[in-house]
Amino acid sequence: EINYSTGEGLLEVEPGSYDIIENIQEGYDLIYATCEGEVTDPGLFNNEDNGILGIELDYEENLVCTFYNSPLGSIVVEKDVIPDSETWFDFEWDFGDFNLSDNMEQFLSVNDSIYLSPGVYTIFESEHPDYNTSVLCQPNGENGQSSVEVNLGYGENVVCAFTNILKQGGITIVKQAIPEEAEDEFEFFPSWGENFFLSDGKSQNFELDTGEN
């Protein structure tokens, strides 16, 4: 067993049959490996075994083997609730489920590892009746309403921000005086804000957060 980070190393071996297997470092994937040289058999890359199998060497034969590694990616989900709230929101994705509240985040993980292989991942937030939902993922700009598909590549670290905005309601106050065309102004005292005045035939509209009264 030998250890290399980057660069190269020389192994002197007797003639015979050899396999070279890489113990892949966490956070990396073995993309390809190849051996070159005028030898009896340079072997073949085997992706399942993470190495080169079936090398055959004879006396005075030299072989150069190169292993290519790429960093895996990651996806983190962030939650932003407007206005600030302690409400919890439920999520599902390809490998499980989780929940988040305002200003929390969750790294998506498989088998307790946050490093994800390249591929398309779907993240879905369950609908909440009191909120409108949108999502934007950076750096590639994937977006959606309550769900999004992330096309993750090697070495990409994606942040998906799910934003929930409290739905707006509305109240319109209409003043109708009898007899009509009265010039007097009437004062109103709403529980959600400052007092206001209306005269005959006038109205005032208010946009209110859900639950505001």
Side-chain angles (χ1 to χ4, degrees):
E1 180 179 342
I2 56 175
N3 294 304
Y4 296 119
S5 54
T6 58
E8 62 184 35
L10 176 65
L11 291 175
E12 294 185 357
V13 296
E14 297 289 333
S17 300
Y18 295 93
D19 300 328
I20 305 176
I21 306 299
E22 180 180 72
N23 183 17
I24 301 175
Q25 182 179 340
E26 184 180 15
Y28 285 84
D29 195 7
L30 177 61
I31 306 301
Y32 189 66
T34 181
C35 291
E36 297 179 351
E38 296 182 0
V39 298
T40 304
D41 189 341
L44 292 174
F45 172 63
N46 187 298
N47 187 55
E48 293 183 358
D49 290 320
N50 297 322
I52 299 174
L53 307 182
I55 298 172
E56 296 288 340
L57 285 179
D58 205 344
Y59 287 104
E60 297 184 355
E61 291 185 340
N62 296 306
L63 188 66
V64 176
C65 297
T66 305
F67 286 69
Y68 300 89
N69 297 84
S70 286
L72 298 173
S74 67
I75 301 174
V76 61
V77 176
E78 296 180 344
K79 167 56 61 187
D80 184 25
V81 184
I82 303 173
D84 293 345
S85 171
E86 296 182 357
T87 304
W88 287 87
F89 299 86
D90 298 324
F91 290 84
E92 295 181 6
W93 74 298
D94 305 79
F95 295 94
D97 54 60
F98 57 96
N99 51 64
L100 294 175
S101 188
D102 191 24
N103 296 321
M104 296 180 65
E105 66 179 25
Q106 174 75 44
F107 275 91
L108 302 187
S109 62
V110 179
N111 297 325
D112 296 324
S113 174
I114 64 171
Y115 301 106
L116 302 179
S117 298
V120 178
Y121 298 90
T122 301
I123 311 166
F124 172 77
E125 179 181 317
S126 300
E127 181 180 356
H128 194 293
D130 294 336
Y131 289 87
N132 292 316
T133 306
S134 63
V135 54
L136 175 63
C137 298
Q138 297 289 5
N140 297 328
E142 298 99 331
N143 62 85
Q145 297 292 319
S146 59
S147 66
V148 66
E149 285 190 348
V150 178
N151 190 357
L152 187 68
Y154 278 113
E156 289 187 341
N157 298 304
V158 176
V159 178
C160 292
F162 280 77
T163 302
N164 299 86
I165 300 177
L166 195 65
K167 292 180 180 179
Q168 299 290 310
I171 294 179
T172 301
I173 308 297
V174 180
K175 168 49 65 179
Q176 183 66 52
I178 300 174
E180 296 182 357
E181 300 182 359
E183 295 182 359
D184 296 324
E185 287 193 330
F186 298 83
E187 187 173 9
F188 294 81
F189 298 89
S191 62
W192 58 83
E194 297 180 355
N195 61 314
F196 62 95
F197 295 85
L198 291 177
S199 58
D200 183 44
K202 302 297 183 181
S203 64
Q204 179 73 48
N205 182 67
F206 297 91
E207 292 186 354
L208 304 176
D209 293 334
T210 302
E212 189 173 357
N213 53 52

